[in-house]
Amino acid sequence: MTTEPTVTLLTGTGAGPDSATGTFRGRGGRLGAFIVRRLVRLAYSLVTLVTVVFLMVRLIPGDPVRNALGINATAAVVEAQRESLGLNDPLWTQYLNFWKGLLTWDLGDSFSLHLPVTTIIEQRLPATLELAFLSLALVLLVSIPLGIVVAALTRGGRRPTVDLAYTSASGLFAVIPEFLMGVALVYFFAVQSHLLPVAGRTDPSSYVLPVLALSIAVAAGVSRIVRVEALTVFEQDYIRTARAKRMSRWRLYFRHALPNLVTSSLTVAGIVLGSLVAGTVLIETIFSWPGLGLTIVDAVRSKDFPLAQGIVIVYGLIVLVSNLLIDIVLVCLDPRSALKDT
């Protein structure tokens, strides 16, 4: 029942339902064209990202070289340092040199840490990725089943008390900022009860509070979206037919309804991942998590713009590549996405 839309799509390509080879080629051609379009968009987005970051960092007030060398450095020393870093060159020359360094993975040296920016990123990126992807996994594992169960319980206006309690609680958790959630979790589970470590990245227990702080609000919001999508799916004819045949609820909701919620859930996951990656900046600061989020805060404070712009570009690249991969997975699961994109 759930594969009917795919059959309709394949017969609409002109290959004909009895021509398996032609259908395969038509589907493969559309997928290839879709990936090429997405790669072109990725290239446009990457150029825009790099240009905006390059200009934005240079608009930060103050002299980063003077700040790095200190107030006791002589004017001659500051000028020599600016010359060695190419900061006296015209802006377009700096821009071209920045692209050259980016393509060769040479983003210069950090003013404050006195290490290559690429080395710092390589050392701290794994901690940030762990935090972001563990939070994403928790969001999907909690929000999708929760949204489906609540939709099943409240379908057709049933159980208004459950509907009111869920709507109120999920709405409340969804609007709490990550940093407030992090502070509250630290107070109750680390300071008061001493159940979990306050900060740092040591053993598995140190992951609990940062991941919860980053994912609770997002999970609440996503579960509301899944619930709305599930209510729509539950009104489809094949679900009514399955219900009329007295199919078990587990099989009905999680075997037949869930696959039709996967595409919308993955679309939301792409948006959520960007939010989670951005949220790591505050969460890593609260929990002293040794990732890129904590590093970029220190870099902005010390006007270490080679390090700041390198980290911002890595953050943007993570979001762009993740959304590209999710789009490819979506079009593989539902080829109608490729047609909608044309």
Side-chain angles (χ1 to χ4, degrees), residues 2 5 11 13 36 63 96 98 103 129 169 179 188 225 261 299 312 319:
T2 59
T11 56
T13 62
V36 169
D63 186 348
L96 293 179
F98 181 66
L103 294 175
L129 291 180
F179 70 93
F188 288 110
I225 297 174
L261 292 169
V312 172
V319 175

Side-chain angles (χ1 to χ4, degrees), residues 66 69-74:
R66 167 63 67 181
L69 296 178
I71 59 174
N72 295 324
T74 63

Side-chain angles (χ1 to χ4, degrees), residues 167-182:
T167 305
S168 302
S170 60
L172 175 63
F173 283 117
V175 298
I176 297 177
E178 289 95 345
F179 70 93
L180 283 181
M181 184 65 72

Side-chain angles (χ1 to χ4, degrees), residues 276-291:
L276 293 174
V277 171
T280 58
V281 175
L282 288 175
I283 295 301
E284 289 183 5
T285 303
I286 293 172
F287 291 96
S288 296
W289 193 263

Side-chain angles (χ1 to χ4, degrees), residues 63-101:
D63 186 348
V65 177
R66 167 63 67 181
N67 186 73
L69 296 178
I71 59 174
N72 295 324
T74 63
V77 172
V78 173
E79 186 62 23
Q81 185 68 13
R82 290 183 60 84
E83 186 66 27
S84 66
L85 294 172
L87 298 178
N88 291 331
D89 295 336
L91 193 61
W92 65 270
T93 303
Q94 296 182 43
Y95 180 69
L96 293 179
N97 289 334
F98 181 66
W99 264 108
K100 181 181 177 182

Side-chain angles (χ1 to χ4, degrees), residues 17 57 90 131 142 146 149 167 237 244 246 305 316 329:
V57 171
L131 196 57
V142 171
L146 179 61
V149 169
T167 305
D237 290 339
R246 299 185 180 278
F305 70 78
V329 171

